[in-house]
Amino acid sequence: MVVKRKLSCGSNVFDFPSIPKAPRSSRRKVSSSKLGDDDDDNSQICAIDLLASLAGKLLEESESSSTSTYAFEGKNHDVHLGGGAVKQEELEHVYINNKPCKSEFSDHEANADLQVSSVESDCVLEQTPVFSDCKKEECGLKSLVGTEEETCVVNEEQGEATGGFVADRFSLKDPSQLRLQSPESVHLDGDVKLAPCTVRVSDDSFQGYVNHSKLVCRDDDNNYCKYYKFSDNCNKSYRPPSRVGNRRIKKSVMKNYGRGVSMLKCFEDTRTDGHLKALYRKRKFSYGYGYNPWKREPVHRKRRLSDKGLVVNYDGGLSSESVSNSPLKRESEDGVLSSEIGLHLKDSPVKFSIKSLRIPELVIEVPETATVGLLKRTVKEAVTALLGGGIRIGVLVQGKKVRDDNNTLSQTGLSCRENLGNLGFTLEPGPETLPVPLSSETPVVSMPTDSTNLSERSVAASPALDIVIPLPPQDADLLINSGKSVENNHELVPYQSDISADEQPSPDSRALVPVSALESGALAIVPLNEKPKRTELSQRRTRRPFSVTEVEALVQAVEEVGTGRWRDVKMRSFENASHRTYVDLKDKWKTLVHTASISPQQRRGEPVPQELLDRVLAAHRHWSEHQMKQNGK
DNA sequence: GTTAGGG
DNA sequence: CCCTAAC
């Protein structure tokens, strides 16, 4: 396996190792560190640095060339995307912005642990579909972009046999979810993945992906829904570069999954309206019964991030969003795990894949009169400042931080599927991380210190440009204020990497409660000061909408046995549906009754045949009366 | 462990 | 979908 350390493009050189403040020692280890005991931290950091650097460069590029797109041309026609992989050497012929991009690798074989299969950064940049007429299939690609599942497939197909740590994507996502996907191509073990839209390759075989929207909207129901749509209609969604600038980033939704376990945001819609709408809708932390994300489902369907998603830890800590391991991702829609999973048990190498890493939330404030360029710079600086301070990686298993770097993964309990599902990572700002000293006077960019505050601010933000636009600091230097700004925050507790793993979160200590993740294996880790109730049990199940077939079965069963006998209903019609508990059925019935009671226009989700709804009402009425009679007697 | 109902 | 109270 090889780690690409340097990518030079004409005059632009992506010198990953030279990332700002990250410890050199660790950077240097990028190519050689092993997922071993001692170096895992470093290697991960390096990966991040590496990616961050690239992202940063791309950002700069975007600023300097407003009309240009991030072209990432692969001149080498030997690249095999379908089932093969582009070898490192071949990457040397990659071009960016028409400039030859030379990649320098340090050949490092065997158990190299670091695999950076893609780089993805978010920022306010042009999204320029380059190719207008293409289809994924034609490219011989199996959707390297878009979903984790797909990415997984690719890895498998390419016979990625070596165990290792895969940083599949690295996204530098600012809270507004402005996303720029830089070329995703730093796959160390040979395959090249290109970012959607922003990637341009000369080889026809690459065209498949270049047109995907890089603006991803992950939905609870439709993973990366918009993403898909966009990509599936490349030709239609094609737009000339000139319009990209008008894009707006839409509001995102903060999600407080599992009782405030996480805060999630994502694009609600980043499709083809040519606008990016800044998003920033942060939900105030509400633990306990404060907020029920599930109930919000209908309203904020576009939010996603949950599954693979990340949680944004704005308290200055960086949290890894979308940490997942491939085995777990193999779960299909219906919840059936593919057979691949078994491969990772026993002695097989444990494979991890971090879909993306997200930086903590940033509040960007720029005057309305500010230029887009300024906004870009602001974002860039914020991100740079954050990363510049160095990052530390934390590993959490079962919600507990694993401190002993010398234990093997298996010793740590990371050897089976179940446990992998409880794995999480955290990105923590290094001790020295506190970036730019800010002049409290004009902090343009800052780490939100209060979710409520943020929420309010976003509401107050301009409708058009939903980015917080308060006092106009004009072109003042953008400063970033992280970490310490939250010292007095009551609600948020920075995730201190120093928190001893041994220190069991005391009942009222504001221990972090990693949340996770859904069966996709992705873990959402967030520091919080919530009552550490669900600490280790806080895994919210994946939402699985009932299919019409299931509804029918449910209706059928209820008609027969009536309401109030959910266990019987379960055994009767959902005996083999392990993911449907009788409580689920009861809940579903509840919603069905409600759905049937409202007008069709108000219904959401997959439409349930009126006929079924009628039966629901009939059965509901019948059994209600039945119960009345019983009570009467 | 189930059921019912609020969140 | 989660959580609890109540049985």
Side-chain angles (χ1 to χ4, degrees), chain A residues 380-391:
Chain A
K380 183 183 115 183
E381 297 207 15
V383 173
T384 300
L386 268 176
L387 297 176
I391 297 175

Side-chain angles (χ1 to χ4, degrees), chain A residues 152-173:
Chain A
C152 254
V153 171
V154 172
N155 288 334
E156 292 172 42
E157 291 183 347
Q158 296 178 337
E160 195 175 83
T162 59
F165 190 90
V166 182
D168 239 356
R169 276 191 195 165
F170 180 62
S171 14
L172 305 177
K173 299 175 182 174

Side-chain angles (χ1 to χ4, degrees), chain A residues 438-513:
Chain A
L438 30 154
S439 88
S440 54
E441 296 302 316
T442 59
V444 185
V445 178
S446 64
M447 300 299 294
T449 57
D450 180 295
S451 57
T452 301
N453 181 26
L454 175 59
S455 178
E456 294 170 350
R457 286 202 282 172
S458 59
V459 170
S462 157
L465 187 60
D466 219 4
I467 289 181
V468 182
I469 306 177
L471 308 178
Q474 289 310 331
D475 222 339
D477 288 335
L478 306 176
L479 302 176
I480 178 169
N481 157 18
S482 72
K484 307 237 155 146
S485 63
V486 289
E487 281 184 346
N488 298 321
N489 184 339
H490 300 299
E491 296 185 31
L492 309 174
V493 175
Y495 189 110
Q496 292 301 323
S497 59
D498 292 323
I499 290 176
S500 169
D502 331 329
E503 278 177 45
Q504 287 299 329
S506 58
D508 43 13
S509 74
R510 297 162 170 184
L512 342 164
V513 180

Side-chain angles (χ1 to χ4, degrees), chain A residues 110-131:
Chain A
N111 302 316
D113 51 296
L114 206 52
Q115 295 180 14
V116 181
S117 61
S118 67
V119 176
E120 180 182 305
S121 63
D122 298 326
C123 58
V124 190
L125 292 177
E126 296 86 347
Q127 170 182 356
T128 309
V130 178
F131 298 94

Side-chain angles (χ1 to χ4, degrees), chain A residues 124-155:
Chain A
V124 190
L125 292 177
E126 296 86 347
Q127 170 182 356
T128 309
V130 178
F131 298 94
S132 60
D133 185 12
C134 63
K135 292 180 179 178
K136 288 192 287 187
E137 297 72 22
E138 297 175 346
C139 308
L141 296 176
K142 283 225 172 182
S143 302
L144 289 178
V145 296
T147 69
E148 290 182 310
E149 290 77 13
E150 291 177 336
T151 299
C152 254
V153 171
V154 172
N155 288 334

